[in-house]
């Protein structure tokens, strides 16, 4: 089934830019719609208009926490960081459709329809846009890395695009960590030298080769979940659609195979970056052909955002990271639960089911001695069953993170937890830990890289 999710900014963009483009005298201009979008960093003060640029501190991958943010209960500084993150997402989404003189314009992340309008807006036949889409989203690593790879376009056209600062928008592969089980984690270096990770997990299912891409949605994350490697640092910025789609293409390139499933379970909180995640979702679905039901968006919960997904009639899997059977325990594991209590979160999950007909999946990271006891399983099972939310629980044994006090539960504990849930008629599965050797837990490899200066070979630069 195809996704019906669309990005609200699409139509205004096309109209606004096409109009601007018509009125522009230069044949190489798509339209000077809007002024340069803000590059929003971590705020230094309470003043919403007071902006501070990034201080890269220890190197290009280092993401400091926002001022005032520290371990412990959720505080005002955390809420400010979250609000900032949502604003940054909107600014990033607006920028996707703006051609300015100062900054390059990325074609990756636009749909074939938008590329046709882009082509038409520049005085080219619309089919040129379709040709660009074919190059951008070609299968198994054949996707274009640069405008030079648009071989069905004349050299003159390619030069024109390049001279107008229009480019593909691929990231550079910075480092690869491969595990013996076939899992590979790629560190991708973005245009501003920020680094994000993406993981490819190959598997065979009913004789078919599957490749799951675990993609990041943000550089850093402001949610601070206590056991999460990404949560140890701060939030830098949201990823733009091209930077999300690029992760899938980079994995296809690496594995030489089509990605069959996408899970938004890498770095960041996807529901703080809704417009760009939905846009990437649309492209993954329509242009790369990944079925909406094979795309999972995982969230720890952001007030108001599940509703947005419901409005978009998302036909993908919504996975909610619950990690505790009650509010008190959840707050100690997930500080942000304080401002979005479990009761509200579960009500929103029910509403999501009513609006979309799609049941919500729950994720539960088992932390040894903290939330993994039979009484926790009983409480969780009863809670989900009673609320008619007993869809599916994914149990994730904790994947150890450096400098963390949490422990991985024993195998017997994990199985016992699953059995209690199933006895209470709540279907549960245990997520196999894949690629532990590649430091597959969220943010871990990137954290390891923060300790060292950036080295490693860079794949060819994008143009
Ligand atoms: N922010 C989103 C998606 C990113 S993390 C979310 O919270 O859902 C994807 C999943 O991996 C989440 O369920 C998260 O809690 C879990 N996770 C993160 N670090 C982990 C670790 N070290 N061990 C086990 N699970 C982890």
């Amino acid at each position: 089934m195809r996704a019906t999710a669309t990005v609200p900014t699409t139509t205004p963009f096309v109209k606004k830019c096409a109009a601007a483009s018509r009125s522009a005298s230069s044949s190489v201009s798509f339209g000077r719609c809007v002024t340069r979008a803000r590059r929003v960093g971590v705020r230094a003060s309470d003043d919403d208009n007071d902006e501070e640029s990034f201080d890269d501190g220890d190197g290009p991958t280092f993401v400091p926490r926002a001022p005032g943010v520290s371990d412990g209960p959720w505080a005002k500084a955390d809420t400010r960081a979250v609000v900032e993150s949502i604003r940054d997402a909107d600014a990033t989404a607006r920028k996707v459709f703006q051609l300015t003189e100062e900054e390059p314009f990325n074609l990756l992340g636009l749909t074939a329809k938008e590329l046709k309008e882009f082509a038409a807006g520049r005085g080219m036949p619309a089919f040129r846009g379709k040709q660009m889409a074919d190059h951008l989203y070609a299968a198994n690593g054949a996707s274009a890395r640069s405008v030079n790879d648009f071989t069905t376009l004349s050299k003159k056209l390619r030069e024109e695009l390049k001279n107008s600062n229009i480019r593909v928008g691929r990231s550079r592969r910075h480092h690869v960590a491969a595990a013996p089980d076939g899992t590979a984690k790629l560190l991708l270096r973005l245009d501003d030298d920020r680094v994000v990770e993406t993981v490819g997990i190959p598997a065979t299912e009913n004789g078919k080769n599957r490749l799951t891409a675990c993609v990041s949605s943000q550089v850093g994350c402001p949610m601070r979940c206590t056991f999460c490697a990404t949560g140890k640092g701060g939030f830098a910025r949201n990823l733009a659609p091209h930077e999300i789609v690029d992760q899938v293409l980079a994995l296809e390139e690496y594995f030489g195979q089509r990605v069959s499933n996408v899970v938004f379970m890498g770095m960041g909180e996807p529901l703080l970056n809704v417009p760009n995640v939905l846009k990437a979702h649309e492209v993954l679905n329509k242009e790369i052909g990944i079925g909406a039901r094979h795309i999972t968006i995982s969230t720890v919960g952001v007030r108001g955002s599940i509703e947005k997904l419901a409005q978009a009639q998302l036909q993908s899997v919504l996975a909610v990271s619950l990690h505790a059977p009650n509010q008190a325990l959840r707050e100690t594991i997930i500080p942000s639960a304080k401002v979005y209590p479990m009761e509200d979160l579960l009500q929103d999950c029910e509403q999501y089911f009513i609006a979309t007909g799609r049941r919500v999946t729950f994720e539960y990271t088992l932390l040894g001695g903290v939330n993994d006891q039979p009484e926790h399983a009983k409480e969780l099972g009863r809670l989900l069953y009673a609320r008619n939310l007993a869809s599916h629980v994914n149990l994730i044994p904790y994947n150890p993170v450096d400098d963390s006090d949490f422990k991985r539960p024993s195998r017997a504990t994990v199985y016992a937890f699953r059995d209690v849930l199933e006895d209470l008629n709540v279907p549960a599965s245990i997520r196999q830990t894949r690629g532990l050797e590649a430091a597959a837990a969220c943010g871990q490899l990137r954290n390891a890289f923060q300790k060292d200066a950036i080295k490693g070979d860079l794949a060819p630069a994008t143009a």
Side-chain angles (χ1 to χ4, degrees):
M1 179 177 283
R2 285 180 104 69
T4 49
T6 50
V7 179
T9 48
T10 304
T11 311
F13 142 72
V14 170
K15 286 195 180 131
K16 207 158 71 174
C17 289
S21 181
R22 276 194 298 276
S23 64
S25 53
S26 160
S27 63
V28 289
S29 166
F30 183 33
R32 302 177 196 325
C33 305
V34 193
T35 53
R36 184 190 165 97
R38 296 184 326 160
R39 180 177 181 246
V40 183
V42 179
R43 286 200 187 289
S45 82
D46 295 350
D47 183 344
D48 277 352
N49 296 315
D50 186 14
E51 215 175 276
E52 189 189 58
S53 60
F54 288 113
D55 172 13
D56 280 337
D58 292 345
T61 65
F62 181 69
V63 180
R65 282 183 169 177
V69 171
S70 57
D71 288 342
W74 195 253
K76 278 187 182 156
D78 290 300
T79 298
R80 278 199 295 274
V82 161
V83 168
E84 184 51 56
S85 162
I86 294 171
R87 283 200 189 128
D88 175 66
D90 290 339
T92 304
R94 281 198 297 276
K95 199 172 159 184
V96 167
F97 300 113
Q98 295 164 3
L99 187 77
T100 65
E101 276 170 359
E102 298 93 359
E103 293 193 40
F105 183 81
N106 301 303
L107 296 173
L108 193 66
L110 298 185
T111 59
K113 183 169 176 276
E114 287 158 356
L115 287 161
K116 280 187 204 162
E117 296 186 47
F118 166 82
R122 296 179 62 83
M124 294 185 234
F127 74 84
R128 294 278 177 225
K130 173 72 173 77
Q131 288 177 319
M132 288 185 221
D134 291 343
H135 287 297
L136 289 171
Y137 304 116
N140 306 344
S143 50
R145 280 217 147 258
S146 114
V147 167
N148 292 329
D149 298 334
F150 290 173
T151 46
T152 52
L153 266 62
S154 69
K155 199 155 184 277
K156 183 167 165 275
L157 268 182
R158 283 181 259 161
E159 288 306 315
E160 270 179 26
L161 290 173
K162 285 193 283 179
N163 291 340
S164 308
N165 218 0
I166 287 158
R167 56 179 205 167
V168 167
R170 296 290 310 271
S171 304
R172 290 169 292 172
R173 193 201 291 168
H174 177 63
H175 180 84
V176 178
D181 66 3
T183 304
K185 178 172 276 201
L186 312 185
L187 277 184
L188 299 173
R189 193 165 177 165
L190 311 174
D191 234 19
D192 58 357
D193 285 336
R194 296 284 188 194
V195 175
V196 284
E197 55 187 46
T198 188
V199 183
I201 307 157
T204 313
E205 211 180 275
N206 304 329
K208 282 189 186 155
N209 286 338
R210 300 249 168 255
L211 177 59
T212 298
C214 175
V215 299
S216 296
S217 54
Q218 299 185 308
V219 182
C221 181
M223 299 307 274
R224 272 209 299 118
C225 300
T226 48
F227 55 87
C228 171
T230 309
K232 304 235 166 279
F235 162 77
R237 68 174 178 87
N238 286 284
L239 295 186
H242 72 278
E243 293 169 325
I244 298 173
V245 173
D246 172 77
Q247 297 175 50
V248 170
L249 296 178
L251 287 168
E252 292 197 349
E253 241 170 40
Y254 179 80
F255 284 92
Q257 146 185 11
R258 258 303 190 208
V259 162
S260 55
N261 299 64
V262 173
V263 294
F264 281 83
M265 292 186 186
M267 292 162 60
E269 171 45 56
L271 294 197
L272 288 174
N273 190 15
V274 173
N276 300 298
V277 164
L278 285 184
K279 184 73 204 157
H281 181 285
E282 187 189 5
V283 170
L284 295 175
N285 179 238
K286 283 191 188 151
E287 310 305 335
I288 302 191
I290 301 168
R293 286 173 189 237
H294 293 139
I295 301 177
T296 298
I297 298 181
S298 174
T299 180
V300 71
V302 176
R303 199 185 275 286
S305 60
I306 293 181
E307 211 180 306
K308 287 187 206 161
L309 297 191
Q311 279 163 7
Q313 282 294 312
L314 203 76
Q315 285 302 299
S316 292
V317 182
L318 174 63
V320 169
S321 297
L322 209 52
H323 307 325
N326 61 61
Q327 173 67 15
L329 182 57
R330 192 162 190 265
E331 255 185 63
T332 65
I333 300 171
I334 304 168
S336 62
K338 185 177 168 191
V339 287
Y340 186 27
M342 215 162 119
E343 175 54 32
D344 297 2
L345 173 63
L346 293 178
Q347 268 181 31
D348 289 345
C349 292
E350 285 167 342
Q351 289 306 316
Y352 182 85
F353 176 42
I354 292 167
T356 62
R358 306 277 296 148
R359 275 185 179 276
V360 174
T361 293
F362 292 95
E363 286 165 279
Y364 196 102
T365 295
L366 289 160
L367 306 163
V370 175
N371 63 356
D372 64 341
Q373 296 303 298
E375 64 262 28
H376 297 124
K378 270 186 211 142
E379 199 180 350
L380 179 70
R382 289 188 187 128
L383 174 85
L384 296 180
Y385 193 77
R387 300 198 64 131
N388 196 21
L389 280 167
S391 55
H392 194 89
V393 178
N394 257 325
L395 299 170
I396 319 171
Y398 169 64
N399 210 354
V401 169
D402 277 2
D403 313 327
S404 171
D405 292 336
F406 293 114
K407 290 187 179 52
R408 193 174 167 84
S410 71
R411 225 177 126 82
T413 308
V414 174
Y415 279 89
F417 199 98
R418 195 231 10 223
D419 292 347
V420 172
L421 286 178
E422 298 234 306
D423 285 348
L424 292 167
N425 292 316
V426 175
S429 53
I430 300 166
R431 180 149 346 134
Q432 298 294 332
T433 300
R434 300 279 312 261
L436 197 62
E437 301 86 335
C442 177
Q444 273 179 269
L445 181 65
R446 183 177 146 275
N447 278 6
F449 264 68
Q450 281 180 191
K451 290 177 189 150
D452 303 320
I454 288 280
K455 4 187 184 13
D457 296 331
L458 293 178
T462 162

